[in-house]
Amino acid sequence: MWRNSLMLLGLVALLASACERKAEEPARSAQSATSGATASTGPGASTPTAAQPHAATPAETGGAAPGSSDVILLGEVGSLTGAEASFGISTRNGVELALNQTNDSGGVKGKKVAVRVYDDQSKPEEAANAATRLINQDRVKVILGEVASTNSLAMAPIAQAAGVPMISPSSTNPKVTLVGNYIFRVCFIDPFQGYVMARFAHDHLKISRAAVLKDQKSDYSLGLTEFFTRKFTEMGGKIVSTEAYAKGDSDFRAQLTAIKSQKPEAIYVPGYYNDVGIIARQARELGIPTKVPLLGGDGWQSAKLFELGGRAIDGSYFSDHYSPDNPSPTVQKFIAEYKAAYGTVPDSLAGLGYDAARVAVAAMKKAPDLSGPAIRDAIAQTKDFPGVTGTISLDETRNAVKPAVVLEVVEGKLKYITTTPP
Amino acid sequence: MESAALPVSSGLPRSLRGLAPFLIAIPVLAGLQLVVSQAPFLVYLASIVGVNIILAVSLNIVNGMTGQFSIGHAGFMAVGAYVSGKFSLETKNLAISLLPVAASDQLIFVAALLIGGSFAALCGFIVGLPSLRLRGDYLAIVTLGFGEIIRVIVQNTEAFGRALGLSGIPQRATFFMVYFWVFLTIVVARRIAASTHGRSLWAIREDEVAAEAMGVNTTGYKVRAFVISSFFAGVAGGLFAHFVPIINPGSFTFVKSIEVVVMVVAGGLGSTTGAILAAVVLTLLPEAMRSAFITLSGGQASLAQKVDQIRMPIYGILLVALMLLRPQGLFGSREIWDVLPRWFQRRRKSVVS
Amino acid sequence: MADLLQHLVNGLATGTIYALVALGYTMVYGVLKLINFAHGDVMMVGAYLGYATAQKLGRPAQSSLVGVLLIFLCAMAGCALLGLAIERFAYRPLREKPRLTSLITAIGISFTLEYGFQLDFGPLPGASPRAFPEIIRATEWFVFGDRDVVIWNWQVISLLIALALMLTLQFLVFKTRFGRAMRAVSFDHRIAALMGIPTDRVIAGTFMLGSALAAGAGILYAIKDTAIQPLMGLYVGLKAFVAAVIGGIGHVPGAVVGALLLGLVEEFVVGYTASSWRDAVAFGFLIIILLVRPSGLFGRVAAEKV
């Protein structure tokens, strides 16, 4: 018995001593993991996993046309149920509107476009699941999604490894597009958004002491907190208190009590709308006066914000992608069409979904063929695209450079305050 | 009480008997691996099924064979997933110079699995020792509690990525590796069931006081069952971490524990084949329903979403119905080869008469 | 110091809500020896029923005394019926079967309620949280220092309602015939049946009572946290059960003590460390208590008959 264990120990020691750093594989791209299927065929097989240049796999999944070849299939992943349901539903409506309009005006390369939508229940592992299914089973050409940065980060490596272009309509965390050159977005990124709110607080509201209440379960919130904090202190402001909660919590009193004791002039709450509404209420209940506004980001954007926040959220501000008060004819036409189809004024999620879908369609029209690399290149060349959320030009890191608006919550409605150019 | 079936003695020489199943299984799995590696979605689906099989069969050792109420299995899965994932992450750039890269990767992967499983087994020991003195219902709530505590600890540990989870784990799990461990788990479970060790476990399940009176060290056996079961749960977690792109605490909640418990109960408490069958069916059913609805409704995705949503409450109703109509599960505490002949006999009888 | 007082107030508020739910758990366990996993979800249903009633009543009516009473009564009555139905159709057939079977059934019902309420067709509300209407207009009743400690009217009212419900229960259990029957059944249900007690009816009544209390707790919880969503009952239920076990399961006053203790411990731990540990506190506390006193604080150490 112990003789065996001794032998085993010896073997392990031998292997451990033989460990060394792997030589750098030049063609292996930054973070993408080769999926298990294309890797080794089992222990003992001696084919090295060495650099399969990633162009090889895309041709396999992106180029092969799906069975019914007179429909071009796109994929969309969104939170249609769960906590961030309003994000998913608005985005899907925007995408659907765009694709219906495309089909009415002749489709792409003579074929109709269709979208397969999967619900990820606001959970990143479901988003990854859905992306895998879209790529491997449905064989879509382009993936649209997701809204929440955490979910996009779960999907991006899968899309990148398979060579399927992915366009996020509203994920603002910079890490998303850094996953690889197949990942794009049509919105601004958080370093800019954090700056927008910091400048608004400092210059417009003349605030020098702010507190932060961040959502530690979301990359979006953590990223925004970092950028806001940095910019605000650069401008001379002071962050007097930083507290954290977890998305889905219902009781924020402990954190708010701690913040209250530091007497800030404003509280930055870069979270999602359903938590923010309750936070606002509990903050007022605990005695944080109404002259201390809450500040936030585009995660606030939802009709539910008013329902959950009630009077407590009046007088608070947040940064967003577009305002329905924008008099530009493109925007007003979009609002009219959306209202006719869905009965409500579109929010920025719907606008971004609309733009993302139209960018994808335009790229597919421009690309020489419908293979993954070709569509990818076409998307990357998007310049001065007339979107309803602003003119979209993608830079080298595949992000859109666009202005942001600041909106104020007044009696259950949004009031446009100002625009900050990029 | 139905006794577990003893393996029929084959005609092989003694020395080979233990090894025989492995000698057959390995080439078969290798062959399947070559065939299946062309269809990545199939591999993904099969891997999920495999992980669930390991979880169900390992939980069956504690809940089925030993008759305990453990409902915190996802916690051990989490430990295995995070520990092995972290190990793989840290050793991503390490290679053993004696071997080609692919083999070295797989070897490190196996090491990661073993380390993850061992940590999970250790947790099983820590959880088992104090709690197994408690009565049934109390044990249930304590195991549930431990599962939650493990999850919260992971959620608060910077090294494990807190609430955002761990990403970038090298995706080294192959069909072969997953199903090799499935096979191993099944072999271990069956051999325990048929051994004298297993007899003690059954005795504890039937009447603990009597077993103690007969000289069975009940606490020792219970803890041992717990440790073995958590080891395999940890391995399952490790495999899981190596084929999904990101793992976060949300994948290892109480709901996951309950799903595994349902598989064990639906298959029959104590029946290994029942647990396997239940795991396969309960994992594939929602996928099948989803695909069926998509094709039926001609790509109209909203109906498929409704199906997705309905799945969970139907799951609950199914549970209640199962308990009301057939509480012993599919196979009771016997295996499929005990039950099937009886069913066929019954059919033949009715045809004749 | 002010922090301490504020945490004390918050902890007691949470603790009384846990107590109301824990009472239901402990009573049902007492008579049936069953962990009713679905109890937390009955609380959730109560909150939604209260929400629906408040919506029906409309703005001014829902804040009036009569309105509030009506909201509570509707929710409690509705949940009592729900409890009756669950007991009749899901638990009664399994009464003589092994305990694991009933446990799994309870879990099944819990799932059905939780995920059923997340669907959004028909009368079902859907997964997004909803804001519970302000039926008690929030005003500050006690303020210490420069808003260092703020005690709101609804916190005090909530505490009073919870106490009233608990005293009613106490009266019912110890001063009425039904209560005596309940205690008899929980002692030994076979002997109780031999003595002529209609055990089925007593058990049904216990369920109804427990569910009504849970409904009350649900509305109080909705007032406290504003948002209601289908999964709100899950963790509250688990923690209330933990509280019942801490006090000694089956022991009615023990459940209240356990719940108040749990509420306080949880609030203090979260207040002085971080909110992410909240869920682990309850279970950690439970494990510590069970290690020291395996039958809970007030539980009877029952010898096992062979």
Side-chain angles (χ1 to χ4, degrees):
Chain A
M1 172 66 198
W2 59 267
R3 237 178 306 173
N4 287 338
S5 354
L6 214 58
M7 281 201 305
L8 194 63
L9 221 57
L11 186 64
V12 170
L14 176 68
L15 287 173
S17 63
C19 284
E20 59 175 17
R21 285 196 73 80
K22 278 197 193 139
E24 277 307 319
E25 308 270 0
R28 199 187 277 243
S29 66
Q31 282 182 32
S32 51
T34 11
S35 77
T38 46
S40 61
T41 46
S46 48
T47 31
T49 18
Q52 266 186 22
H54 276 275
T57 11
E60 205 186 285
T61 44
S68 55
S69 50
D70 51 337
V71 175
I72 300 179
L73 203 54
L74 289 90
E76 187 198 332
V77 181
S79 336
L80 299 165
T81 56
E84 281 94 52
S86 85
F87 287 170
I89 296 176
S90 294
T91 313
R92 185 199 59 190
N93 291 350
V95 169
E96 260 178 23
L97 186 64
L99 294 183
N100 288 341
Q101 289 179 346
T102 311
N103 283 335
D104 289 338
S105 56
V108 171
K109 293 182 166 38
K111 305 190 189 163
K112 295 240 173 258
V113 284
V115 68
R116 175 103 355 119
V117 183
Y118 283 126
D119 173 22
D120 63 12
Q121 301 167 32
S122 314
K123 292 190 201 153
E125 59 272 5
E126 291 295 326
N129 212 337
T132 311
R133 185 194 304 268
L134 282 172
I135 295 176
N136 291 312
Q137 216 188 14
D138 301 311
R139 300 197 179 275
V140 298
K141 297 275 179 249
V142 174
I143 296 184
L144 300 171
E146 223 254 13
V147 169
S149 302
T150 309
N151 299 345
S152 294
L153 283 171
M155 288 163 49
I158 301 176
Q160 176 69 26
V164 174
M166 175 174 134
I167 305 181
S168 166
S170 24
S171 281
T172 47
N173 190 300
K175 287 193 284 188
V176 176
T177 40
L178 292 178
V179 172
N181 60 353
Y182 275 81
I183 317 295
F184 303 86
R185 73 175 106 214
V186 293
C187 54
F188 50 63
I189 53 177
D190 284 334
F192 175 58
Q193 205 183 169
Y195 159 74
V196 166
M197 223 45 206
R199 212 184 82 160
F200 180 77
H202 188 259
D203 297 345
H204 196 107
L205 295 175
K206 308 276 188 274
I207 287 174
S208 52
R209 299 163 49 91
V212 177
L213 182 55
K214 63 185 177 181
D215 174 358
Q216 64 191 17
K217 249 186 162 175
S218 116
D219 292 277
Y220 162 78
S221 186
L222 293 174
L224 260 187
T225 304
E226 196 197 312
F227 299 120
F228 174 84
T229 310
R230 204 186 306 160
K231 296 288 182 204
F232 192 67
T233 32
E234 269 173 19
M235 295 176 194
K238 186 159 148 21
I239 305 285
V240 298
S241 166
T242 308
E243 294 288 329
Y245 65 92
K247 179 159 77 97
D249 270 357
S250 59
D251 197 334
F252 309 95
R253 293 193 177 87
Q255 297 91 321
L256 288 168
T257 310
I259 289 181
K260 184 174 83 165
S261 63
Q262 298 299 318
K263 303 199 188 315
E265 293 170 320
I267 310 181
Y268 189 53
V269 192
Y272 293 121
Y273 60 91
N274 41 19
D275 298 321
V276 172
I278 309 298
I279 291 176
R281 272 194 207 244
Q282 291 181 357
R284 302 297 172 221
E285 273 171 15
L286 276 180
I288 297 180
T290 13
K291 63 174 166 57
V292 176
L294 273 69
L295 308 171
D298 62 336
W300 285 31
Q301 170 62 267
S302 166
K304 278 223 160 262
L305 183 69
F306 314 118
E307 183 196 321
L308 292 169
R311 289 169 301 158
I313 196 126
D314 280 349
S316 296
Y317 306 87
F318 67 100
S319 49
D320 200 8
H321 304 269
Y322 105 129
S323 160
D325 297 334
N326 189 333
S328 137
T330 339
V331 177
Q332 292 304 319
K333 178 159 154 301
F334 165 65
I335 294 180
E337 287 163 350
Y338 188 90
K339 249 173 136 168
Y342 299 104
T344 51
V345 173
D347 57 15
S348 53
L349 280 317
L352 287 169
Y354 185 74
D355 282 343
R358 290 197 313 139
V359 165
V361 162
M364 288 197 289
K365 281 188 181 160
K366 200 164 72 170
D369 61 66
L370 291 177
S371 69
I375 303 183
R376 190 211 79 82
D377 291 334
I379 300 178
Q381 290 160 17
T382 308
K383 283 259 174 294
D384 296 325
F385 184 89
V388 301
T389 53
T391 316
I392 301 176
S393 297
L394 297 179
D395 63 14
E396 329 77 56
T397 36
R398 297 170 297 286
N399 300 321
V401 184
K402 292 157 80 184
V405 300
V406 176
L407 304 169
E408 182 187 354
V409 182
V410 177
E411 280 167 26
K413 292 208 221 309
L414 295 174
K415 193 170 98 170
Y416 166 80
I417 301 290
T418 178
T419 310
T420 312
Chain B
M1 199 272 298
E2 320 295 343
S3 65
L6 293 162
V8 178
S9 56
S10 43
L12 292 170
R14 288 222 86 177
S15 51
L16 222 45
R17 204 173 291 169
L19 225 41
F22 288 91
L23 294 178
I24 304 175
I26 292 187
V28 169
L29 285 178
L32 281 172
Q33 163 74 24
L34 286 170
V35 168
V36 146
S37 60
Q38 301 308 314
F41 186 62
L42 205 62
V43 173
Y44 182 75
L45 208 57
S47 306
I48 302 248
V49 170
V51 165
N52 281 343
I53 295 179
I54 299 180
L55 287 170
V57 170
S58 59
L59 187 62
N60 190 39
I61 299 177
V62 171
N63 281 19
M65 296 184 202
T66 325
Q68 302 300 303
F69 274 34
S70 167
I71 51 180
H73 218 50
F76 303 121
M77 184 186 175
V79 170
Y82 272 95
V83 169
S84 62
K86 190 73 187 163
F87 179 80
S88 279
L89 208 57
E90 295 302 317
T91 58
K92 221 201 293 216
N93 291 321
L94 226 54
I96 300 178
S97 55
L98 311 168
L99 303 160
V101 180
S104 137
D105 271 351
Q106 285 294 306
L107 213 58
I108 294 183
F109 176 38
V110 173
L113 285 180
L114 289 174
I115 294 177
S118 311
F119 260 88
L122 186 66
C123 287
F125 183 74
I126 297 175
V127 170
L129 207 48
S131 6
L132 288 166
R133 300 183 294 148
L134 299 171
R135 271 189 0 232
D137 303 333
Y138 283 21
L139 179 65
I141 202 75
V142 166
T143 51
L144 175 63
F146 268 111
E148 286 296 297
I149 290 179
I150 290 176
R151 189 180 58 83
V152 171
I153 291 180
V154 162
Q155 211 163 302
N156 278 295
T157 315
E158 193 57 56
F160 290 140
R162 291 189 157 228
L164 298 175
L166 225 52
S167 60
I169 301 174
Q171 309 279 275
R172 292 188 184 146
T174 60
F175 179 86
F176 179 87
M177 190 53 78
V178 173
Y179 277 86
F180 177 73
W181 281 98
V182 169
F183 175 72
L184 199 62
T185 315
I186 297 175
V187 167
V188 168
R190 282 294 306 141
R191 289 198 174 165
I192 289 179
S195 66
T196 48
H197 194 108
R199 288 235 167 263
S200 308
L201 294 179
W202 287 108
I204 296 174
R205 169 190 156 141
E206 285 306 307
D207 191 332
E208 197 168 324
V209 180
E212 185 80 50
M214 287 275 113
V216 174
N217 176 8
T218 48
T219 314
Y221 276 98
K222 286 197 280 188
V223 173
R224 235 168 293 172
F226 227 75
V227 167
I228 295 175
S229 152
S230 355
F231 173 77
F232 283 106
V235 169
L239 289 166
F240 180 74
H242 286 81
F243 67 81
V244 294
I246 181 171
I247 53 171
N248 68 355
S251 320
F252 309 109
T253 59
F254 167 57
V255 177
K256 179 79 190 169
S257 292
I258 294 299
E259 282 177 12
V260 182
V261 170
V262 172
M263 289 175 202
V264 173
V265 173
L269 279 171
S271 166
T272 307
T273 41
I276 299 173
L277 205 62
V280 171
V281 169
L282 288 174
T283 314
L284 290 182
L285 200 61
E287 293 294 328
M289 285 205 309
R290 198 186 296 179
S291 306
F293 267 91
I294 289 187
T295 43
L296 276 182
S297 53
Q300 193 38 269
S302 47
L303 200 58
Q305 285 155 32
K306 286 280 194 305
V307 171
D308 249 352
Q309 280 183 293
I310 296 197
R311 167 167 72 105
M312 287 311 281
I314 290 201
Y315 210 64
I317 297 179
L318 228 63
L319 258 184
V320 178
L322 186 68
M323 288 297 110
L324 287 174
L325 299 173
R326 199 183 162 82
Q328 72 268 37
L330 202 54
F331 296 143
S333 44
R334 296 170 288 173
E335 306 288 350
I336 186 171
W337 43 80
D338 299 325
V339 173
L340 231 41
R342 197 81 69 77
W343 285 354
F344 283 137
Q345 264 184 7
R346 215 179 291 158
R347 277 177 68 197
R348 207 184 306 150
K349 249 199 223 166
S350 58
V351 169
V352 169
S353 57
Chain C
M1 186 56 196
D3 260 12
L4 195 89
L5 279 175
Q6 184 73 68
H7 284 311
L8 199 69
V9 170
N10 293 345
L12 279 176
T14 320
T16 42
I17 295 178
Y18 286 157
L20 282 175
V21 183
L23 282 170
Y25 268 112
T26 216
M27 287 196 304
V28 166
Y29 190 85
V31 295
L32 266 189
K33 302 285 178 291
L34 163 76
I35 305 176
N36 182 12
F37 258 106
H39 200 60
D41 301 295
V42 169
M43 178 192 113
M44 177 267 293
V45 173
Y48 270 99
L49 283 174
Y51 175 79
T53 318
Q55 298 286 69
K56 269 282 161 61
L57 285 176
R59 243 320 133 77
Q62 72 196 19
S63 319
S64 65
L65 188 60
V66 176
V68 171
L69 273 172
L70 208 60
I71 291 175
F72 269 92
L73 276 167
C74 284
M76 289 169 76
C79 281
L81 286 174
L82 179 66
L84 184 67
I86 294 178
E87 194 275 326
R88 179 68 186 79
F89 293 112
Y91 296 149
R92 193 179 293 188
L94 299 174
R95 218 175 276 168
E96 296 302 320
K97 294 271 170 65
R99 288 237 283 285
L100 186 59
T101 318
S102 318
L103 192 74
I104 306 271
T105 313
I107 294 177
I109 296 183
S110 170
F111 266 29
T112 312
L113 284 174
E114 277 167 20
Y115 289 97
F117 270 67
Q118 286 187 38
L119 302 173
D120 48 20
F121 25 89
L124 297 167
S128 304
R130 289 170 185 249
F132 197 81
E134 263 183 76
I135 59 178
I136 299 181
R137 177 132 296 180
T139 46
E140 299 161 17
W141 271 7
F142 303 106
V143 183
F144 297 105
D146 180 18
R147 317 207 77 201
D148 286 332
V149 183
V150 183
I151 303 184
W152 291 81
N153 62 338
W154 56 264
Q155 281 179 319
V156 179
I157 294 177
S158 182
L159 190 66
L160 290 174
I161 294 180
L163 280 172
L165 287 172
M166 281 188 263
L167 286 171
T168 318
L169 183 71
Q170 191 76 350
F171 174 76
L172 262 169
V173 170
F174 286 102
K175 296 279 197 280
T176 64
R177 265 184 58 177
F178 178 75
R180 216 179 310 157
M182 255 178 62
R183 282 181 285 141
V185 172
S186 69
F187 197 75
D188 188 327
H189 70 99
R190 288 200 198 105
I191 307 279
L194 284 176
M195 291 284 135
I197 294 176
T199 39
D200 280 351
R201 255 192 273 167
V202 170
I203 293 178
T206 313
F207 256 91
M208 288 176 69
L209 206 54
S211 308
L213 282 177
I219 298 181
L220 292 175
Y221 193 80
I223 296 176
K224 175 169 96 86
D225 273 357
T226 316
I228 57 174
Q229 39 104 1
L231 293 173
M232 66 189 269
L234 181 61
Y235 277 97
V236 176
L238 275 178
K239 288 182 201 168
F241 181 67
V242 165
V245 173
I246 289 176
I249 192 118
H251 196 258
V252 169
V256 176
V257 171
L260 287 174
L261 268 178
L262 183 64
L264 284 170
V265 168
E266 195 180 289
E267 176 70 26
F268 275 110
V269 168
V270 167
Y272 291 115
T273 58
S275 82
S276 38
W277 290 101
R278 187 187 287 269
D279 289 341
V281 172
F283 294 108
F285 191 40
L286 172 74
I287 291 169
I288 294 174
I289 297 273
L290 284 183
L291 282 177
V292 175
R293 280 189 68 90
S295 312
L297 290 173
F298 297 99
R300 271 172 292 130
V301 181
E304 200 176 322
K305 264 183 128 181
V306 187

